[in-house]
Amino acid sequence: MAGETVITVVGNLTADPELRYTQNGLPVANFTIASTPRTFDRQANEWKDGDPLFLRASVWRDFAEHVAGSLTKGMRVVATGRLRQRSYQDREGQNRTAIELEVDEIGPSLRYATAQVTRAASSGGGGGGGQQARPQVQQEEPWATPGSAAPDAWSAPGSYGDDTPF
């Protein structure tokens, strides 16, 4: 949507994502990303940590269940999404403002780790909450060579041509 503030944050999860369900059965996962800048102090010849940014984040529907089942406390993540400002009154009646990230995409950072990705079964495009899952349909890999016995075309040496593809 035009005019929204979209940002990308790299940091570590401060706790496991907390998965909850609304009264309508809609899943939502909330978590905090801590991002701490590091600078090199040439005089001291060492790295120094700056002030950390703690950013509350949320994801909804099947995405929430995927995040809660995949990410854990301490993981370094890369998240992109839209900043949201929310105003509320605390228990003492003081007006407060919170800045939160509504996450569009998130995944583990591969700078210091490796990851194994598994495609999740689709629940029919809804939000969970009582919908019946469709039966799994075996789909052919769109990039595979038609009729090839090799499960991964990238791992089969010599299965490509030297001709320009255009």
Side-chain angles (χ1 to χ4, degrees):
M1 191 174 265
E4 291 187 306
T5 304
V6 177
I7 66 165
T8 299
V9 178
V10 178
N12 296 75
L13 296 184
T14 62
D16 289 346
E18 182 180 354
L19 181 63
R20 293 186 176 198
Y21 294 87
T22 66
Q23 290 178 345
N24 296 333
L26 195 64
V28 59
N30 296 300
F31 50 94
T32 301
I33 301 171
S35 181
T36 306
R38 298 193 89 199
T39 56
F40 189 74
D41 183 345
R42 290 183 187 206
Q43 292 179 346
N45 199 32
E46 65 184 10
W47 289 96
K48 301 239 178 176
D49 288 338
D51 294 328
L53 167 71
F54 294 94
L55 187 59
R56 290 291 298 161
S58 63
V59 293
W60 292 84
R61 298 179 177 76
D62 289 346
F63 192 11
E65 292 174 336
H66 298 167
V67 166
S70 302
L71 303 177
T72 58
K73 176 181 178 178
M75 278 189 167
R76 185 173 178 86
V77 296
V78 179
T80 187
R82 294 159 282 136
L83 283 181
R84 296 281 187 232
Q85 180 174 308
R86 182 174 53 89
S87 297
Y88 64 97
Q89 279 191 345
D90 64 13
R91 292 181 180 144
E92 291 78 37
Q94 298 288 332
N95 290 331
R96 302 284 185 187
T97 301
I99 305 293
E100 299 168 336
L101 180 65
E102 191 171 314
V103 176
D104 293 322
E105 298 287 340
I106 188 169
S109 170
L110 301 181
R111 179 178 291 266
Y112 306 113
T114 61
Q116 180 72 32
V117 177
T118 304
R119 186 177 180 100
S122 174
S123 68
Q131 294 185 3
Q132 293 184 358
R134 294 182 190 165
Q136 285 291 99
V137 177
Q138 186 67 25
Q139 293 183 341
E140 191 173 317
E141 177 62 44
W143 294 282
T145 305
S148 72
D152 183 5
W154 291 101
S155 67
S159 65
Y160 57 90
D162 290 333
D163 296 334
T164 306
F166 46 87

